[in-house]
Amino acid sequence: MTDLDDIFTARGSVLIAGASINGSTADIAIDETGTIAAIGEDARRAIDADIVIDGSDRLAVPGLVNTHTHAAMTLLRGYADDMLLQEWLSQKIWPLEAHLTGDDVYAGTKLACLEMIKSGTVAFNDMYFFMDRAAAAVDDMGMRATLAYGFIDLGMEEKREAEIKATEALVDHIRSLNNPRIQAAVGPHSVYTVSPEGLSWCAEYAKEQGIGIHVHLSETEKEVTDCVAQFGKRPTYLLDEYGCLTPRTVAAHCCWLDEAECRLLGERGVSASHNPASNMKLAVNRAMPYHWLKQYGANVALGTDGCSSNNNLDIFEEMKFAALLQKFAWNSPTLLPAGEAVMMATAAGARALGIGPGTLTVGAPADIVLLDARAVCNTPLYNPDSNIVYACNGGAVMTVLCGGRVLMHERTVPGEEEIIQEAAAAARSLIERAKNSA
Amino acid sequence: MTDLDDIFTARGSVLIAGASINGSTADIAIDETGTIAAIGEDARRAIDADIVIDGSDRLAVPGLVNTHTHAAMTLLRGYADDMLLQEWLSQKIWPLEAHLTGDDVYAGTKLACLEMIKSGTVAFNDMYFFMDRAAAAVDDMGMRATLAYGFIDLGMEEKREAEIKATEALVDHIRSLNNPRIQAAVGPHSVYTVSPEGLSWCAEYAKEQGIGIHVHLSETEKEVTDCVAQFGKRPTYLLDEYGCLTPRTVAAHCCWLDEAECRLLGERGVSASHNPASNMKLAVNRAMPYHWLKQYGANVALGTDGCSSNNNLDIFEEMKFAALLQKFAWNSPTLLPAGEAVMMATAAGARALGIGPGTLTVGAPADIVLLDARAVCNTPLYNPDSNIVYACNGGAVMTVLCGGRVLMHERTVPGEEEIIQEAAAAARSLIERAKNSA
């Protein structure tokens, strides 16, 4: 087995020896390109491994995907809670965000990446600002991410021009990084913050650039009633009218959809990102109609939302919140069983971001998480999906590989203490600046 | 500082040096009786410490209390999920429980104790069977527990006589243990499983013995409608009629209470155990009316329920589920703020079980949890209650003391590997026996 010190610096092919996959013990071979080359009896012959990881007492599962984040908001974790949405935004979140710098976004996104790696997430779909600095953090941490600048024009042409420039600049910047793990998306914030002209530009630009769209959709009842009052139609139809619903669109929240809107999202091949913890904390008063979205073939994935409305990035916890909220809110103990929750966090998430099948199969990117099969939460282990969704949290994750590169091993992430110290310092400085300007 | 090897075996006074308590750094002195002798500047002079624990980078909080468990059901964790309540019970849970032995209950309760210690819980309120063996597990693990035999007569006199004998035997047995951390309670299961004669005997016996009552109350709508149909009154009034509502009663679930029932529980000084994860998973379709219980002065605490309907015993997770479910179900983002959730899990839990104030104060039992202040979930740390409830899980717990005895330090619990192995073996054997008899 490769030593802990070497495992993060060595590059090349990787053998995971004797892990438990879907109830059987098997070796996994990963080639130099970061692709799963073989699973099972052929694996040891398939590669001449540069790195060998002991898989005994480990459950191998696909890397988790977080399809809706505002990663740098880790710096606002716990700054304000238990408030009415509008007061929380206008009195607490926006005034603090006004003081955020690019350095803060770098430090906050790095903390978010550390947190996601420590809980088994390999890829995320992010919308915020100073996104070039978010990209630098993702690059440093070795994860996958789809990064969108949050486009908000509030119906003002001058602001729209600035948002267009910012969006184009980010897309150009990310292309220049030439990092296959980082891709850009266009981020029209929502129907209540972006004009029809803005939505239209976003859709056309995304099409022209061949990139995805990341948008908030029907999070609150007010969003729906205001949209109907202003435009005479519900938000899903407005997005569709301006071309924003595509197979590369991720629509976050989707709480207040009616059945016909779910059908349209299914027809357009949209991915819906379910954010149950955020929706509960902000009391949006309706759970995503998962049953309709599933029925009409929309791709339903999972997201945590930002750390000021959750307040963590643990997709294990989010799987449990999703499975339990759906049961409770729609009054059905059989809705969203454990296996479907795992699929939402893996295959559906990977599909939403276009990063492979999100499964442990030959030819797939080697995005692999090893869980401690001897942890209390995995004892006993009748049905791993149940343990993963209902009993474990991210603390059961021991090892994380993203594209064949080891990001965490035996719960150690290189540089984690510095990342935590720097984020804590950035948060202190942010509060200080906000105080001094008040 | 005392070495890890010695910290579990040494006995006597304990100094926790320089921990963060409510935002200040202070020493905590614990005397030989397991009581907090001093906090702050006097602490080092108050005792001649036999054990010294480094409190730097640690948040000290009161030990958590789980007020509703069926601890040995850890052996059924993940055995059956995502089913209708009646099918789940009749096809899965009861057939397996029929094969449970005293040895299984010992192994399963020990696993539960390990799980609770690892997530910062020092005391729990348990109802199950073979409770003498549960007591042995608690005794071995050094926790506090209130143990009740689940009294179920189903209206049959012969069965009632057997339940009375079993209850009396457990109370006698626990008294004979002479362990100040373990107390007995009477456990009338519910109004739908215990006859009025049974409820009446339980209430009188509890009064005579000076012990508490542990009962399920208004978990499902069916329980309420059936009770009204059979007895002409709602379950709370039936329990009250037969004397089961006392200041030493813990009523679990309390989902389907109306406002008048909440007022009565407040008047009787009853403790209500909120079990949000279980209620969501089983789709009981109504959240405990916390606002009424609070308004009328009932003592609202937290519980996980058993591991077949949750499926873990992490009170940190339960605090988050409680705070979020109340907001979502009652449509108020300001309901059950973080500070109240922490109180439910500490002071209210301790009051429910009569085990001191559940606070870090001089004269209180030294039930103390040290959290990692440098964990990702505690970064940044604007408001510790928020981090505890919304961001952390039990994995942030580093050290646990119960009555001054160190049960976990630096996440190590003595003997944990054997406990896990023995529980896994007990579960395998249980399944085997159930299969062979089928």
Side-chain angles (χ1 to χ4, degrees):
Chain A
M1 305 303 161
T2 308
D3 287 344
L4 186 60
D5 287 346
D6 298 330
I7 217 156
F8 299 116
T9 50
R11 291 286 178 273
S13 58
V14 181
L15 181 75
I16 301 173
S20 173
I21 307 177
N22 300 326
S24 313
T25 300
D27 299 327
I28 305 173
I30 302 163
D31 68 22
E32 291 80 355
T33 72
T35 304
I36 298 177
I39 298 176
E41 290 185 5
D42 303 334
R44 278 167 196 260
R45 288 191 302 274
I47 55 165
D48 181 17
D50 299 298
I51 299 172
V52 179
I53 294 172
D54 184 5
S56 56
D57 293 327
R58 296 287 178 263
L59 302 179
V61 296
L64 306 179
V65 181
N66 190 340
T67 57
H68 183 56
T69 58
H70 309 291
M73 290 185 90
T74 49
L75 295 193
L76 280 64
R77 188 201 318 273
Y79 173 66
D81 304 283
D82 307 317
M83 296 176 71
L84 293 169
L85 180 64
Q86 276 310 314
E87 291 176 12
W88 173 73
L89 285 171
S90 62
Q91 295 172 15
K92 294 287 184 175
I93 300 302
W94 292 337
L96 204 59
E97 281 188 337
H99 294 276
L100 272 177
T101 65
D103 287 348
D104 292 334
V105 167
Y106 176 78
T109 306
K110 227 167 157 179
L111 180 67
C113 289
L114 172 63
E115 185 174 357
M116 287 190 268
I117 293 167
K118 294 210 87 157
S119 50
T121 292
V122 297
F124 64 106
N125 190 37
D126 204 46
M127 180 199 290
Y128 211 53
F129 39 98
F130 299 114
M131 293 304 285
D132 54 325
R133 304 305 304 282
V138 175
D139 194 37
D140 287 353
M141 298 299 289
M143 292 180 72
R144 297 185 196 280
T146 302
L147 305 176
Y149 171 78
F151 185 113
I152 295 178
D153 68 8
L154 303 174
M156 294 180 280
E157 190 174 336
E158 198 177 336
K159 193 157 170 52
R160 182 158 57 251
E161 290 306 318
E163 299 297 86
I164 287 172
K165 286 209 177 80
T167 299
E168 291 173 337
L170 177 67
V171 172
D172 289 347
H173 176 73
I174 286 178
R175 195 157 288 141
S176 76
L177 292 178
N178 202 23
N179 177 337
R181 291 176 286 96
I182 304 180
Q183 56 185 340
V186 181
H189 178 270
S190 65
V191 297
Y192 58 93
T193 50
V194 185
S195 64
E197 295 82 356
L199 293 175
S200 184
W201 182 85
C202 286
E204 280 168 34
Y205 184 69
K207 193 174 177 185
E208 172 195 314
Q209 296 289 321
I211 60 180
I213 294 173
H214 185 179
V215 64
H216 296 86
L217 175 59
S218 295
E219 180 177 4
T220 64
E221 187 173 22
K222 183 176 187 309
E223 173 182 338
V224 178
T225 52
D226 286 357
C227 186
V228 170
Q230 189 175 358
F231 300 106
K233 60 189 71 168
R234 295 172 69 90
T236 303
Y237 300 109
L238 198 73
L239 289 183
D240 194 46
E241 182 175 347
Y242 296 104
C244 290
L245 299 185
T246 80
R248 300 196 60 182
T249 298
V250 179
H253 299 297
C254 296
C255 305
W256 283 89
L257 301 177
D258 66 18
E259 186 172 356
E261 289 176 286
C262 292
R263 190 187 310 121
L264 182 58
L265 292 178
E267 284 169 9
R268 296 287 183 263
V270 167
S271 292
S273 177
H274 188 19
N275 295 199
S278 170
N279 299 155
M280 290 174 73
K281 185 156 182 267
L282 296 172
V284 303
N285 204 23
R286 192 167 189 267
M288 166 192 269
Y290 169 73
H291 52 295
W292 286 330
L293 287 164
K294 182 184 166 190
Q295 178 186 340
Y296 294 112
N299 179 49
V300 185
L302 276 182
T304 56
D305 206 352
C307 271
S308 57
S309 62
N310 187 313
N311 301 352
N312 67 39
L313 301 169
D314 185 343
I315 289 285
F316 281 83
E317 195 179 284
E318 212 67 29
M319 285 191 270
K320 184 167 183 174
F321 269 103
L324 267 54
L325 177 60
Q326 287 296 325
K327 289 169 176 61
F328 180 81
W330 298 100
N331 196 21
S332 165
T334 61
L335 189 60
L336 222 182
E340 288 180 29
V342 172
M343 291 294 282
M344 286 169 74
T346 56
R351 180 178 155 197
L353 305 192
I355 52 170
T359 54
L360 297 186
T361 45
V362 173
D367 295 349
I368 303 173
V369 165
L370 302 181
L371 305 177
D372 183 0
R374 302 285 283 270
V376 171
C377 72
N378 282 322
T379 307
L381 193 61
Y382 300 116
N383 166 17
D385 282 347
S386 168
N387 292 74
I388 287 169
V389 173
Y390 296 125
C392 289
N393 58 48
V397 175
M398 300 303 289
T399 295
V400 174
L401 291 91
C402 178
R405 184 172 154 197
V406 181
L407 303 187
M408 177 167 84
H409 189 54
E410 299 297 309
R411 291 205 64 69
T412 296
V413 177
E416 57 192 306
E417 286 185 21
E418 292 73 18
I419 295 166
I420 288 170
Q421 282 171 26
E422 284 165 18
R428 275 192 301 271
S429 160
L430 174 65
I431 297 291
E432 204 56 41
R433 293 197 305 277
K435 266 188 194 159
N436 291 341
S437 81
Chain B
M1 306 301 161
T2 309
D3 288 345
L4 187 61
D5 286 347
D6 298 330
I7 218 157
F8 300 116
T9 50
R11 289 288 178 274
S13 57
V14 181
L15 181 76
I16 301 173
S20 173
I21 306 177
N22 300 325
S24 315
T25 300
D27 300 326
I28 305 173
I30 301 163
D31 67 22
E32 292 81 355
T33 71
T35 304
I36 298 178
I39 298 176
E41 290 186 5
D42 304 334
R44 280 169 196 258
R45 288 191 302 274
I47 54 163
D48 181 18
D50 298 299
I51 300 172
V52 179
I53 294 172
D54 184 4
S56 56
D57 294 325
R58 297 287 178 264
L59 302 179
V61 296
L64 306 180
V65 181
N66 190 340
T67 57
H68 182 57
T69 58
H70 309 290
M73 292 184 88
T74 50
L75 295 192
L76 279 64
R77 187 198 320 272
Y79 174 66
D81 303 282
D82 307 315
M83 297 177 69
L84 294 170
L85 180 64
Q86 275 310 313
E87 291 175 11
W88 173 73
L89 284 171
S90 62
Q91 294 171 17
K92 294 286 183 175
I93 300 301
W94 292 337
L96 205 60
E97 280 188 336
H99 293 277
L100 272 178
T101 65
D103 286 348
D104 293 333
V105 168
Y106 176 77
T109 305
K110 227 167 156 177
L111 180 68
C113 289
L114 172 62
E115 184 174 358
M116 288 191 266
I117 292 167
K118 295 209 88 157
S119 49
T121 293
V122 297
F124 64 107
N125 190 35
D126 203 46
M127 181 200 290
Y128 211 53
F129 40 97
F130 297 114
M131 292 304 285
D132 54 325
R133 304 305 304 282
V138 175
D139 193 37
D140 287 353
M141 298 298 288
M143 293 181 71
R144 297 185 196 280
T146 303
L147 305 176
Y149 172 77
F151 185 114
I152 295 179
D153 68 9
L154 303 174
M156 294 180 280
E157 190 174 339
E158 198 178 336
K159 194 158 169 51
R160 182 157 57 250
E161 289 307 317
E163 299 297 86
I164 287 172
K165 285 210 178 81
T167 299
E168 290 173 336
L170 177 67
V171 173
D172 289 347
H173 175 72
I174 286 179
R175 196 156 286 142
S176 77
L177 293 178
N178 201 23
N179 178 336
R181 291 176 287 95
I182 305 180
Q183 56 184 339
V186 181
H189 177 271
S190 67
V191 297
Y192 58 93
T193 50
V194 184
S195 64
E197 295 81 357
L199 294 175
S200 184
W201 182 85
C202 286
E204 280 169 33
Y205 185 68
K207 191 173 178 187
E208 170 195 315
Q209 297 289 321
I211 60 180
I213 294 173
H214 186 179
V215 64
H216 296 85
L217 175 60
S218 294
E219 180 176 5
T220 65
E221 187 173 22
K222 184 176 187 307
E223 173 182 338
V224 177
T225 51
D226 286 357
C227 187
V228 170
Q230 190 176 355
F231 299 106
K233 60 189 71 170
R234 295 172 69 90
T236 304
Y237 300 109
L238 198 72
L239 289 184
D240 194 47
E241 182 176 347
Y242 296 105
C244 289
L245 299 185
T246 80
R248 301 197 58 182
T249 298
V250 178
H253 300 297
C254 297
C255 304
W256 283 88
L257 301 177
D258 65 18
E259 185 172 355
E261 288 176 287
C262 292
R263 190 187 310 121
L264 181 59
L265 292 178
E267 286 169 6
R268 296 286 183 264
V270 167
S271 292
S273 177
H274 188 20
N275 294 199
S278 169
N279 299 156
M280 290 174 73
K281 185 158 183 267
L282 295 173
V284 303
N285 203 23
R286 191 167 190 267
M288 167 194 268
Y290 170 73
H291 52 295
W292 286 331
L293 288 164
K294 183 185 165 190
Q295 178 185 340
Y296 294 113
N299 179 50
V300 185
L302 276 180
T304 56
D305 208 350
C307 271
S308 57
S309 60
N310 186 316
N311 302 350
N312 67 39
L313 302 170
D314 185 344
I315 288 285
F316 281 83
E317 196 179 282
E318 211 67 29
M319 284 190 272
K320 184 167 182 174
F321 268 103
L324 268 55
L325 177 60
Q326 287 296 325
K327 289 171 176 57
F328 181 82
W330 298 100
N331 195 24
S332 166
T334 61
L335 189 61
L336 220 182
E340 288 180 28
V342 172
M343 290 294 282
M344 285 168 75
T346 55
R351 179 178 155 196
L353 305 192
I355 53 171
T359 55
L360 298 187
T361 45
V362 173
D367 294 349
I368 303 173
V369 165
L370 301 181
L371 304 177
D372 184 0
R374 302 284 283 269
V376 171
C377 72
N378 282 321
T379 307
L381 193 61
Y382 301 115
N383 167 16
D385 282 347
S386 168
N387 291 73
I388 288 169
V389 173
Y390 295 125
C392 289
N393 59 47
V397 175
M398 301 302 290
T399 295
V400 175
L401 291 92
C402 179
R405 185 173 153 195
V406 181
L407 304 187
M408 177 166 84
H409 189 53
E410 299 297 308
R411 293 207 62 71
T412 296
V413 177
E416 58 192 305
E417 286 186 21
E418 293 73 19
I419 294 167
I420 288 169
Q421 283 172 26
E422 285 165 16
R428 276 193 299 274
S429 159
L430 174 64
I431 298 291
E432 205 55 42
R433 292 197 305 277
K435 266 188 193 158
N436 291 342
S437 81

